[in-house]
Each structure stands twice: as structure tokens, then as C-alpha cells.
Amino acid sequence: MTPARRPHRRRTGVTVVSLLLLLVTALAPAPSAAAGGDWWIPAARPAPDSQIDVTGEPFTGTNAAGEVRGFVDAHNHLMSNEAFGGRLICGKTFSEDGIADALKDCPEHYPDGTLAIFDFITNGGDGRHDPDGWPTFEDWPAHDSLTHQQNYYAWVERAWRGGQRVLVNDLVTNGVICSVYFFKDRSCDEMTSIRLQAKLTYDLQAYIDRMYGGPGKGWFRIVTDSEQARDVIEQGRLAVILGVETSEPFGCKQILDIAQCSKEDIDKGLDELYALGVRSMFLCHKFDNALCGVRFDSGALGTAINVGQFLSTGTFWRTERCTGPQRDNPIGLAAAPGAEKKLPAGVGVPAYDSDARCNVRGLTDLGEYAVRGMMQRRMMLEIDHMSVKATGRVLDIFEAESYPGVLSSHSWMDLNWTERVYGLGGFIAQYMHGSESFSAEAERTDALRDEYGVGYGYGTDMNGVGGWPAPRGADTANPVTYPFRSVDGGSVIDRQTTGERTWDLNTDGAAHHGLVPDWIEDIRLVGGQDVVDDLFRGAESYLDTWGGTERHRAADNLAAGAPATASSTEWNPFTSYAPGRAVDGRRSTRWASHWSDDQWLRIDLGGTHRVGRITLDWERAYGRSYRIEVSTDGERWRTVWSTTAGDGGLDTARFPAVPARYVRLHFLDRGTGWGYSLHEAGVHSH
């Protein structure tokens, strides 16, 4: 159905990679040399430590329209070194024992990387590298090294000093990767890892606060509501939001299509995450689970992940022909011998038809329960990694409730969903691609951002095993020239140095999070100022989505429990399909008509109300052509909405509000050989 558009906001000028690859296999601060009372310079910093190489005061306040400014990293993993058993990502975001302890390699990578199994799988070659981090950093961090720390706190500080004002720290792990990886030093339980990563994020805040003189004084601020975030950004600091990206949240895996969790587990899990400060999350990631089907991975990686799916769930991915323009990613058909060796004897990865690109699994009943549980808690839902079948249902639910809390944070949803997300009031960020491809994709969606008056974001996915922008080369026609000014013009940014190593985006690429300002300057040179301006509006747009989510209140359903009559009712000796079943508030029941066209369902609202929105939650037997009629007296009827392109699922019809006591759903043409069948019909004033 065509969604109603959200009122425009005026625009002002201003992965974890395959788990399966794995199948293949307070420091007492020292006095700071920086001078004098500037609020953004710590009174004491650990010594030795990384340089920041940004001078000038960070911008504060709002623009002339009262909007916050700044960039949004909508997808990062500050603490993923604690995930997957604790030995997949090497190095720490911070250490009470100093930078030499924080930025050192995993023990098995010494002396020459011979046992860096995941490193050579993801980076090619034999995996050998100089394991030493501090102070030489000969081989890491690097744009193509997926197993070494990229989020050292001082590098995050440099991104903040360069204009970033929002960072979403997705707490991430995967129990299957942990269980099959050779090296680990802690439990593989996903919630245990999530709790630890949340604690360490708060510990990092306290660590930075101590440099600035005590609690609340540092630049790194964990926020739990949008107004708190606005206040932090207006002060010129970094607002940090906690999210979750994991494959089996709340223990909701499925084995041989049988869910291993309950509604009680979901409620308990959501309550715990909310208490930890989590405000956004994914419901599925990489493997199908008891909540939803996933968007596939491609190539050899996809084959490896599909093996992991089997080892985790007992089933491989299953596909079907898509019913709409959206497509899941092509499934990897390339061989992944190391992963495939893990399969039981006689079991092989299935072949897939090239014209069957959609996951058969959508949003399950438990998944819908979790989605509605997030809505009750006013949390934001990440739709990246969901199959198009699951995403379509989520967007239907959100449109039916006018719920804006939808995020696409790193380029993993079907691009055909973009306008639906913007229409709801959601937020979109693009993966941290190279400046050429990032700019091209930004240009493709620029008209929609203009239409909806929204800014843009990026998802660095640092420490997420994804790969980052390679260098364009010092001999390119338009290299980044150091030093350069920040987007707001108030700071000067030079090459970044840590220990004995100095990074240059032109020759090193985006090796760590501290090079985000350099990458944005590269985007300005390649894509133009307009792209950067949209990114600089990202903080305001992200907070618009979050604030709208917090303010959302479910509209009263005028049809709940109302008397209902119908032209016919299907007879069944074991259950009732009476008209009242469509307004009883339970999706487990339904009204069903005779198996013929031209049927109707009439609802008596008990009094005259303003009516402007009707929702129809179809069973499989849906109406292709139908109209909505209203009346104040039950005699004279007026058509307020109609369609000839119904496709089942959850339909939302919006129209200018009119007075009505009676609503009649007049079904003209069936979409199946059965009759018409509705789980629920909702009637709302707006």
C-alpha cells in the first residue's frame, strides 16, 4: 500500500563479518602538556598516549534555526574486542594500564602472525604480520586489517574534535562464532558479552571523565533520551547511544524451525537491555532465528555463513521468488572449503535458483511480539540484516501505528525501502564506503532527502570486520591536503600520529576511527560540499527520529470490541470465524467470509467519531480490490478510500478524517481462491 508521508521538516543551510569465516577456522593520569583552561583539553592525560592532532575549539550551541549540528556514526562497535570469546578483535578501546596495554596484539599473533587465523582468512596471504602495536604500528591498524583495534579512545576523540556529535555503540557478539573459533578466554553466552560491553562503555566514560576532573566533565557522554542527547551536543560533546547487534537476542535461536525462547524471555530481555541504556537494536543478524529471517550474504562468505546457519539451527537458508521489487542479497554460491568441512558427512550446502532471491522466512509471531515490545518501550528498530519479507512486515506495522522509530544504519536494507523509511520519519546512514562510492550513493538519494528535509549519516562499522576505505593515492588529482579546516571552520586538522606512526588518508586509507574527519574531507573533494552539508545535518535528523519515537503514543482503536456484522461467515465445526473475531484484539483469531467476491464487514463504533485511518491485518486470504465506506446513520454510505492493488499482509488506508459511526469494508475482488479473511480491523481517528 502507499504509505502516508510524514510532514516535511524544513531543511536549513548549514558486521561482524561472517562468523563463519571462523568456521574456517584508571590509569593514574599524568600531567598534560596542553595548556590552559580550555574545556576541551583534559587537565591530565595518560602519558604516553596518542596525539589528537586537531587544534581549535569544538563548536557548541545550535544553528540559527535552533538545530544541533554534527556528524552521526550510526553503527560502531567500541567494545567488540570483548565479543566472540574475546580473542577475535585484538586490542582494547582503553586500558587502565595505558596505551601499551590497550594497543597490543592477541597472544596467538606473536611472533609473526602465523596463528592469526581469522586475519589471513579475511586479509589474504598467509596472515603473517608484525604483531606490535604501540609504539611502531607497522602493520595495524589498517583499512584492510579486520582483526585489530580501530576504536582506541583517543582516535574516537579525534573524530569528535573533527565534528562528529553522535556515536551509536552497537554491543555485538555471536555465540556460534565464539564456539567454533580456536581461541577464546571467556563464555560464549551472548547476553553475558552484551552486559560486559555495556559495563565497559560506562567504564570508558568514567575513564575519560577522570582526565577532565571528575564525573560528568568529559566529552564522552552516554545518553538515554533525545533531550539529553541534544543538551550534550549543544555543549559541544559527543552523545553516545547504546544499541545491540547480535544473532540470537534473548536466546531466541531456532533449531529445526522450533523457537528456543518465549514471550516471557523477550519481555525479560527487552527490560534488561532498556535498563542497561540500550535504545536501538537488531532482531536478527547473519542467521535466521526465532524472530526473523535474515538478508543473505554473498560469495564465499555467504557460503560460510550458510554453513554456520546450519550448524546453529539445523537448517540452511531457504529461498523463494520475490513478490515485489525488493530482493535479498544473492546467496553465495562460491565454495568455502574450510567452512564446508565442518558439515556432517553427507550434508552439503544446497544450490539456489537465480530467480529466487527472497528468504522464505519473514517476521515470525515471536518477532512481531518483540517489535511491538520495542514500540511499547519506545525503542528504535534496526532493519538492516532483516530479510525483505521481515522488513516489509515491520514497515507495515510501523505505518499502521505511525511509528517513526526505524533505522537503517549501514547500507543493508533494500534500497527500494528508502522512501518508506523517510515517510515514517526514520533515519538512514550509509556504510563507510570509499569517498567515490559513498558520494555516488548519497547523490542517488539526495532528492528524497530534499523532499523530506532530512540529513544523512554514516556507519563506520569499526571493529565490525567489514573493511574500510582504501587509499586513493597521493598522486590522485584531488588528494586531501593537510592541514585542513573542519566543516564548521573552527578547527584545524593535521595528519594523525600515534607513537611512531603517522597516518595519511591518501596513502593509508581509513585505518582507524580517528581518520573519520580526513575521510569526510575526502568526500568533500570527491562528492562536493552538498554531501558534507547533509552529513553535518545528521545529528539533528537522528535526534528527530529518536524524539519522535519517544513521543509516540498508540492511537485508540475505535473498533476494539465493537459490534460487527458481515455479508457471510465461513462455517467450521471446530472454530468460529464470526465477524466479531476481526475486532477482538487478538491476532490468533479471524473473521472469514464465504469463498466468493462481493462481501462486506460492517463495524458499529457506537457513536459518531472522526475517522481517518483504517488498518487491515489480513490472513492469507486477502482482498485485491476493495473500498472503505463510512456512514453516520447506517443508511447513506460514502466511499473514502479504495484500492485495486491489494497484496495482503498489513494494509493501512489513510484519508482526510470524516465523521462516522459505521465503517463498512466492501470487498470486491479476491486475491486468492478462498474468501476474505481478516485477523484484525482497526479504526483510528488519525
Side-chain angles (χ1 to χ4, degrees):
M1 311 303 297
T2 301
R5 290 180 176 173
R6 188 175 189 233
H8 297 175
R9 290 170 283 193
R10 184 171 301 277
R11 196 171 178 182
T12 62
V14 252
T15 296
V16 174
V17 162
S18 182
L19 318 168
L20 295 181
L21 286 181
L22 300 177
L23 293 174
V24 181
T25 54
L27 177 67
S32 172
D38 294 330
W39 67 268
W40 62 94
I41 303 296
R45 186 188 291 277
D49 204 5
S50 173
Q51 296 177 206
I52 307 302
D53 299 294
V54 179
T55 57
E57 181 175 0
F59 58 87
T60 61
T62 59
N63 64 17
E67 298 172 333
V68 297
R69 300 161 292 162
F71 306 120
V72 176
D73 182 354
H75 192 102
N76 199 334
H77 303 292
L78 293 180
M79 302 298 175
S80 65
N81 55 288
E82 301 295 345
F84 321 112
R87 298 272 279 275
L88 180 63
I89 306 295
C90 306
K92 305 174 186 176
T93 304
F94 75 106
S95 171
E96 298 288 351
D97 294 323
I99 191 170
D101 180 65
L103 296 181
K104 65 182 180 182
D105 218 334
C106 292
E108 56 274 8
H109 287 202
Y110 291 89
D112 61 0
T114 301
L115 292 181
I117 297 171
F118 193 67
D119 195 81
F120 68 69
I121 292 172
T122 57
N123 200 15
D126 59 9
R128 298 195 178 199
H129 62 274
D130 181 345
D132 289 337
W134 175 268
T136 57
F137 300 103
E138 181 68 26
D139 286 334
W140 65 269
H143 73 90
D144 57 353
S145 174
L146 309 187
T147 64
H148 294 99
Q149 182 60 242
Q150 298 173 295
N151 280 321
Y152 184 60
Y153 91 91
W155 299 337
V156 178
E157 180 178 352
R158 187 173 192 270
W160 159 64
R161 290 284 301 276
Q164 185 170 297
R165 291 297 180 267
V166 173
L167 186 151
V168 180
N169 179 28
D170 283 318
L171 315 174
V172 63
T173 192
N174 183 283
V176 173
I177 283 190
C178 175
S179 66
V180 301
Y181 194 47
F182 300 99
F183 306 106
K184 62 181 71 71
D185 55 18
R186 76 272 317 266
S187 164
C188 291
D189 179 72
E190 292 192 353
M191 281 305 299
T192 298
S193 180
I194 294 301
R195 294 181 192 107
L196 174 60
Q197 292 177 54
K199 175 186 180 298
L200 287 172
T201 308
Y202 286 97
D203 289 348
L204 173 58
Q205 177 176 260
Y207 178 79
I208 294 171
D209 278 353
R210 289 199 297 275
M211 298 181 200
Y212 286 80
K217 295 186 177 182
W219 53 269
F220 184 97
R221 311 308 318 153
I222 300 169
V223 296
T224 55
D225 64 65
S226 64
E227 286 305 312
Q228 185 183 17
R230 286 186 182 279
D231 184 56
V232 164
I233 296 170
E234 287 179 16
Q235 295 172 33
R237 305 174 197 271
L238 179 69
V240 179
I241 298 102
L242 297 184
V244 165
E245 182 184 39
T246 189
S247 293
E248 297 165 358
F250 329 125
C252 283
K253 69 183 302 176
Q254 55 91 12
I255 299 176
L256 298 176
D257 297 324
I258 299 174
Q260 304 299 299
C261 68
S262 64
K263 292 180 178 179
E264 291 74 19
D265 294 325
I266 292 169
D267 283 329
K268 180 181 177 181
L270 285 173
D271 286 342
E272 179 180 8
L273 291 178
Y274 194 90
L276 287 173
V278 172
R279 295 298 181 265
S280 68
M281 72 175 297
F282 295 76
L283 289 182
C284 50
H285 177 242
K286 299 301 182 185
F287 302 157
D288 296 334
N289 62 26
L291 306 177
C292 47
V294 294
R295 188 167 173 83
F296 308 128
D297 280 83
S298 302
L301 174 60
T303 300
I305 292 180
N306 204 5
V307 170
Q309 154 105 3
F310 180 86
L311 295 176
S312 175
T313 70
T315 60
F316 291 104
W317 288 327
R318 298 200 301 270
T319 65
E320 62 187 4
R321 290 181 178 175
C322 303
T323 58
Q326 291 78 28
R327 301 284 187 273
D328 288 318
N329 296 330
I331 290 184
L333 299 178
E340 293 175 79
K341 288 179 182 177
K342 300 291 183 179
L343 292 171
V347 176
V349 178
Y352 296 93
D353 292 336
S354 60
D355 64 346
R357 280 273 301 277
C358 284
N359 194 335
V360 301
R361 299 179 189 272
L363 191 68
T364 68
D365 288 343
L366 280 175
E368 184 157 334
Y369 184 83
V371 168
R372 295 188 183 278
M374 291 181 68
M375 294 170 70
Q376 291 168 5
R377 294 163 179 83
R378 301 184 182 91
M379 298 171 71
M380 294 177 286
L381 175 65
E382 293 264 13
I383 58 174
D384 286 4
H385 292 297
M386 274 187 172
S387 68
V388 297
K389 197 170 186 177
T391 302
R393 179 68 183 181
V394 165
L395 295 178
D396 284 347
I397 292 170
F398 282 7
E399 286 165 355
E401 301 291 341
S402 299
Y403 190 78
V406 57
L407 304 172
S408 174
S409 62
H410 65 336
S411 300
W412 262 78
M413 72 164 183
D414 191 285
L415 297 179
N416 288 303
W417 295 131
T418 300
E419 185 164 12
R420 289 188 74 180
V421 172
Y422 282 151
L424 280 164
F427 183 79
I428 292 175
Q430 185 187 159
Y431 189 85
M432 189 185 187
H433 294 117
S435 54
E436 296 98 331
S437 58
F438 188 96
S439 299
E441 170 59 16
E443 182 178 3
R444 188 192 69 82
T445 55
D446 181 66
L448 281 174
R449 288 194 300 280
D450 282 342
E451 181 178 352
Y452 286 91
V454 295
Y456 204 32
Y458 51 82
T460 63
D461 206 9
M462 291 287 176
N463 288 0
V465 202
W468 296 274
R472 290 199 296 127
D475 58 351
T476 186
N478 53 348
V480 172
T481 301
Y482 293 92
F484 59 88
R485 285 204 168 269
S486 59
V487 173
D488 66 293
S491 298
V492 176
I493 302 170
D494 209 340
R495 292 177 179 84
Q496 196 279 321
T497 297
T498 304
E500 299 171 11
R501 177 75 184 273
T502 297
W503 282 270
D504 183 322
L505 188 83
N506 301 303
T507 54
D508 296 313
H512 60 68
H513 198 267
L515 297 175
V516 164
D518 313 52
W519 171 73
I520 290 173
E521 171 68 1
D522 204 40
I523 288 174
R524 185 186 70 81
L525 296 168
V526 170
Q529 187 64 40
D530 286 348
V531 180
V532 176
D533 287 345
D534 276 4
L535 290 171
F536 202 56
R537 281 187 286 267
E540 176 64 30
S541 286
Y542 184 94
L543 297 186
D544 274 348
T545 294
W546 192 6
T549 302
E550 293 169 324
R551 293 187 295 273
H552 179 267
R553 299 294 183 272
D556 290 337
N557 180 7
L558 302 174
T565 55
S567 55
S568 66
T569 299
E570 180 183 343
W571 181 82
N572 186 293
F574 304 106
T575 190
S576 170
Y577 296 135
R581 296 299 180 97
V583 291
D584 63 1
R586 293 181 295 169
R587 197 171 179 273
S588 59
T589 63
R590 60 188 175 95
W591 163 73
S593 76
H594 288 168
W595 294 13
S596 61
D597 294 329
D598 199 10
Q599 304 285 340
W600 51 262
L601 176 72
R602 191 174 84 160
I603 303 167
D604 181 355
L605 303 180
T608 300
H609 300 269
R610 299 285 293 180
V611 173
R613 175 165 56 98
I614 307 290
T615 58
L616 303 180
D617 192 355
W618 294 100
E619 195 250 355
R620 288 177 296 172
Y622 66 92
R624 178 179 292 112
S625 176
Y626 62 93
R627 63 177 181 254
I628 296 172
E629 303 164 338
V630 298
S631 174
T632 56
D633 59 9
E635 300 291 334
R636 293 166 294 181
W637 295 93
R638 171 187 174 191
T639 298
V640 293
W641 190 91
S642 65
T643 183
T644 58
D647 57 0
L650 177 56
D651 288 349
T652 299
R654 297 179 188 274
F655 46 86
V658 295
R661 170 171 176 168
Y662 302 94
V663 173
R664 186 166 65 188
L665 310 174
H666 198 154
F667 308 113
L668 306 173
D669 181 36
R670 290 168 294 155
T672 70
W674 300 299
Y676 303 94
S677 184
L678 284 171
H679 285 297
E680 283 295 309
V683 178
H684 307 274
S685 59
H686 56 83

